[in-house]
């Protein structure tokens, strides 16, 4: 029987590169847009429903 957890070093390096590329190309940009968009939405909702438009004084 073969050991399913036995992965060669070459396979590990391939998985690590794929994970790195996925994280840097897709995951972090999507998270950045979601976080900034969510924060903007929260600020907008606070101004519309509770705080009013920004102004001086």
């Amino acid at each position: 029987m073969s050991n399913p957890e036995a992965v060669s070093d070459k396979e590990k390096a391939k998985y690590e590169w794929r994970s790195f590329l996925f994280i840097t190309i897709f995951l972090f940009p999507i998270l950045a847009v979601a976080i900034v968009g969510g924060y903007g939405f929260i600020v907008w909702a606070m101004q519309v429903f509770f705080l009013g438009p920004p102004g001086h004084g």
Side-chain angles (χ1 to χ4, degrees), residues 32-52:
V33 168
I35 290 170
V36 172
Y39 177 72
F41 180 77
I42 289 171
V43 170
W44 174 80
M46 292 292 288
Q47 289 178 349
V48 167
F49 296 115
F50 300 111
L51 302 176

Side-chain angles (χ1 to χ4, degrees), residues 21-41:
L21 292 175
F22 172 76
I23 289 170
T24 56
I25 293 174
F26 293 108
L27 185 61
F28 282 171
I30 290 171
L31 284 176
V33 168
I35 290 170
V36 172
Y39 177 72
F41 180 77

